Amino acid sequence: MKQPPTRNFEDIVARLKASLNPIGEWTTMDTLSIKDRDYPLVKIVIGKGNSRRVLISGGIHGDEPAGVETICTFLENKLYTDFLENWEITLLPCINPSGFEAGTRHNQDDIDLNRKFKEDQVPREVAFVKEVLDRPYDLDLELHEDVDSSGYYLYQKDQTTDLSTLGRKILDRVESIHPLNLAEEIEEVPADRGLLSRLSEPEEMEWWPMALYAYTRGCSHVFTLETSPALPMDVRIKAHLLAIQTALKHVEEQNL
Ligand SMILES: [Zn+2]
């Protein structure tokens, strides 16, 4: 019988807290009580009040741990330091903590949280994210993994064309450490060397992932970033970190 993964969300909370002092602002926006365990829904803000705003999130699918690990590593290695002059960085380290611990895509009620953003009556994890998206961000980076993919790819959705080359820049950098998915179509979307930018408009879709909700809330540039779990964890983390750093640097350099 397959053993469930032995991930412990308390370990993640401890790592995040240890890495923050004294730089970040920690907010527990809600706490899920499941069986006899408490799972905080956590928002971390670094560089509060800075003019550019980025939202970086992981773990909405519990069986995609690289996003959660990337955010821990980003904090532990103080990789935000280069960006603190300009950026207010908001981190949602793990949107689906019960799924993360169980190693399941869905939450404890067997719901795929990333299909629920068009609805008004939503699970508490989704309500938490919607509250965070109350103010739009310049950049939204959502960290995922795709077990069906042999390489890295990303979805890009922009309000304007001023950053339309950013997705390509991210992939060109990532390719140096993590192969790209070179299929001409990924998840039924036309793809150009890992770049999926010909996406449906919100009104055409029956359900919305978080990215589409972020877009409808006015986020300027929205990226869903996907690693391949066929690669070792440290490579997947490095790929996501490189994507984050490339995006922040590029927006700064273009002075957008
Ligand atoms: Zn996912």
Side-chain angles (χ1 to χ4, degrees):
M1 217 172 82
K2 205 178 157 202
Q3 293 292 319
T6 52
R7 289 192 208 118
N8 187 339
F9 188 62
E10 283 176 7
D11 292 344
I12 297 293
V13 169
R15 281 174 67 190
L16 292 168
K17 284 195 166 158
S19 68
L20 275 187
N21 200 9
I23 187 87
E25 180 189 280
W26 176 287
T27 310
T28 301
M29 293 185 60
D30 194 358
T31 302
L32 306 174
S33 294
I34 301 161
K35 294 177 183 155
D36 51 0
R37 295 285 308 282
D38 284 343
Y39 297 94
L41 298 176
V42 175
K43 177 180 85 166
I44 293 166
V45 180
I46 300 172
K48 193 163 186 173
N50 286 338
S51 58
R52 301 180 196 280
R53 302 178 71 241
V54 60
L55 179 66
I56 305 171
S57 63
I60 196 166
H61 290 138
D63 59 348
E64 300 172 8
V68 181
E69 292 288 338
T70 297
I71 292 176
C72 288
T73 308
F74 183 76
L75 289 170
E76 287 167 343
N77 294 340
K78 301 191 179 355
L79 298 178
Y80 47 77
T81 312
D82 289 346
F83 305 106
L84 281 188
E85 218 168 285
N86 294 307
W87 286 98
E88 178 184 283
I89 301 171
T90 300
L91 303 161
L92 307 183
C94 188
I95 295 168
N96 177 12
S98 69
F100 174 80
E101 209 163 66
T104 56
R105 178 180 176 92
H106 295 179
N107 77 347
Q108 68 284 348
D109 297 321
D110 200 20
I111 292 169
D112 186 337
L113 300 172
N114 210 27
R115 299 287 180 273
K116 292 291 174 190
F117 281 80
K118 198 172 187 179
E119 298 166 26
D120 293 328
Q121 296 290 327
V122 295
R124 281 162 63 184
E125 298 94 326
V126 174
F128 151 64
V129 176
K130 284 189 167 187
E131 199 179 330
V132 172
L133 282 164
D134 226 23
R135 275 176 69 200
Y137 292 80
D138 300 301
L139 195 55
D140 172 34
L141 305 174
E142 304 184 12
L143 308 179
H144 284 255
E145 309 206 70
D146 183 349
V147 285
D148 297 323
S149 180
S150 58
Y152 203 93
Y153 68 94
L154 63 81
Y155 300 86
Q156 168 170 351
K157 194 139 182 80
D158 297 315
Q159 306 282 356
T160 62
T161 55
D162 57 6
L163 266 184
S164 57
T165 56
L166 179 52
R168 184 77 266 149
K169 275 211 156 44
I170 291 171
L171 290 163
D172 286 348
R173 290 299 311 280
V174 166
E175 193 177 15
S176 63
I177 51 169
H178 186 310
L180 303 182
N181 183 330
L182 299 176
E184 286 178 8
E185 197 173 82
I186 303 173
E187 301 284 324
E188 298 174 10
V189 178
D192 173 21
R193 289 182 51 243
L195 177 63
L196 286 68
S197 56
R198 286 156 63 191
L199 305 177
S200 304
E201 291 303 317
E203 60 275 11
E204 292 167 14
M205 288 194 63
E206 262 174 61
W207 53 267
W208 289 352
M210 175 180 163
L212 219 48
Y213 182 78
Y215 177 78
T216 63
R217 294 297 302 163
C219 288
S220 307
H221 308 285
V222 178
F223 291 90
T224 306
L225 304 152
E226 306 268 359
T227 71
S228 165
L231 281 112
M233 178 60 89
D234 65 320
V235 174
R236 287 139 61 198
I237 294 171
K238 277 186 197 149
H240 270 340
L241 287 173
L242 199 50
I244 292 168
Q245 291 166 311
T246 304
L248 296 180
K249 213 174 282 176
H250 186 68
V251 174
E252 255 181 29
E253 280 170 7
Q254 298 297 307
N255 197 24
L256 297 168

